Amino acid sequence: MNNLEQYIETIFSNKLASNIAIKIGKGNTTLYESYRSEKEIIDEFTLFDMASITKILATTTLCLIAIDKGLLNLNTSVSKFFTNNSDKQNMTISHLLTHTIGSSPKGLNIPCNNYDNVADYILSIPYEIPLGSEVIYNCQGFILLGKILEKVFGERLDTLFYNLVCNPLNMKKTTFRPCDKVNIVNHNISDCDIGVVNDENSRHLGGIAGNAGVFSNV
């Protein structure tokens, strides 16, 4: 693990991160672990802002559960859930999952947007390239997918995540909007308050969104 330890030292010496938690295992055996912080005392229970890993950990997993239950399929049209998007009739769940919705990343943190109407705003964004023609990483597709999942299951995204993902896997500390501010750090250089998601779009929507907002630990 010498190379990894050298890399960690390089990260800290170049001030690329303030806090690092690493644990590597095989089966039930821990092969290596390291916890480093400039100012805090951290351990395997310390919560980090998981940022865009939310897309996989929460939103994609919930989408696959919905598909498994027969509530969605990859070709389900977005227009099934939102009717005011006449130019988006051919947009599907597959486009949202694969970042092929035809537009580049957009800031959604403007006063007129809120948790309830953000889907309508996303669907009002014009295409920049043909739908499905190119992968352009963006957050708004996953925010929209999160809103669709809420319609499919009839519950808010964070509740779905707790009930269908965290609880079955005994992930007791993994959460949106952590209430307990003890043993929690921001993973990146940020002016955000501890326990507040760094992503501006998710933060504007109250910290619960399909693109970012989950906090978790090793």
Side-chain angles (χ1 to χ4, degrees):
M1 295 297 176
N2 288 340
N3 287 342
L4 178 56
E5 290 171 348
Q6 291 171 8
Y7 184 63
I8 293 171
E9 290 298 333
T10 299
I11 288 174
F12 272 91
S13 63
N14 290 316
K15 299 187 181 301
L16 298 177
S18 300
N19 308 286
I20 293 178
I22 297 173
K23 191 170 187 176
I24 300 171
K26 183 177 181 180
N28 293 324
T29 302
T30 298
L31 302 177
Y32 176 83
E33 59 184 321
S34 177
Y35 306 98
R36 291 281 302 275
S37 176
E38 290 183 348
K39 300 179 180 179
E40 308 295 333
I41 298 174
I42 64 174
D43 55 29
E44 63 183 329
F45 302 106
T46 303
L47 286 178
F48 284 71
D49 178 353
M50 299 302 289
S52 283
I53 292 175
T54 301
K55 294 180 176 70
I56 305 302
L57 189 62
T59 316
T60 299
T61 302
L62 288 169
C63 186
L64 293 175
I65 291 172
I67 291 171
D68 190 55
K69 292 179 177 292
L71 303 174
L72 284 177
N73 65 65
L74 294 178
N75 295 318
T76 300
S77 174
V78 171
S79 63
K80 177 180 178 180
F81 305 98
F82 299 97
T83 58
N84 62 340
N85 55 314
S86 59
D87 66 329
K88 306 292 194 304
Q89 293 297 313
N90 295 322
M91 183 182 288
T92 66
I93 299 299
S94 179
H95 292 126
L96 302 181
L97 285 169
T98 57
H99 299 276
T100 56
I101 63 173
S103 64
S104 58
K106 298 290 187 298
L108 308 179
N109 55 327
I110 56 179
C112 65
N113 287 337
N114 57 48
Y115 192 83
D116 294 322
N117 69 13
V118 68
D120 293 333
Y121 180 81
I122 292 171
L123 289 168
S124 73
I125 298 172
Y127 289 129
E128 298 169 27
I129 59 173
L131 180 69
S133 64
E134 184 178 343
V135 174
I136 303 177
Y137 184 88
N138 65 62
C139 288
Q140 62 260 29
F142 269 80
I143 293 173
L144 180 58
L145 181 56
K147 303 306 291 185
I148 289 173
L149 289 167
E150 291 182 336
K151 285 180 173 286
V152 167
F153 286 105
E155 292 185 285
R156 202 170 66 176
L157 188 66
D158 57 334
T159 301
L160 295 173
F161 181 51
Y162 304 148
N163 292 340
L164 299 180
V165 180
C166 295
N167 288 344
L169 295 175
N170 200 31
M171 296 164 62
K172 296 180 179 179
K173 296 295 185 179
T174 300
T175 181
F176 286 91
R177 300 198 304 193
C179 296
D180 188 354
K181 305 304 181 183
V182 177
N183 203 13
I184 180 169
V185 295
N186 286 345
H187 76 291
N188 53 356
I189 307 300
S190 171
D191 293 330
C192 292
D193 293 335
I194 296 297
V196 176
V197 60
N198 182 61
D199 179 83
E200 292 182 355
N201 289 326
S202 178
R203 191 164 69 245
H204 181 76
L205 299 174
I208 301 170
N211 70 311
V214 168
F215 286 74
S216 192
N217 57 23
V218 171

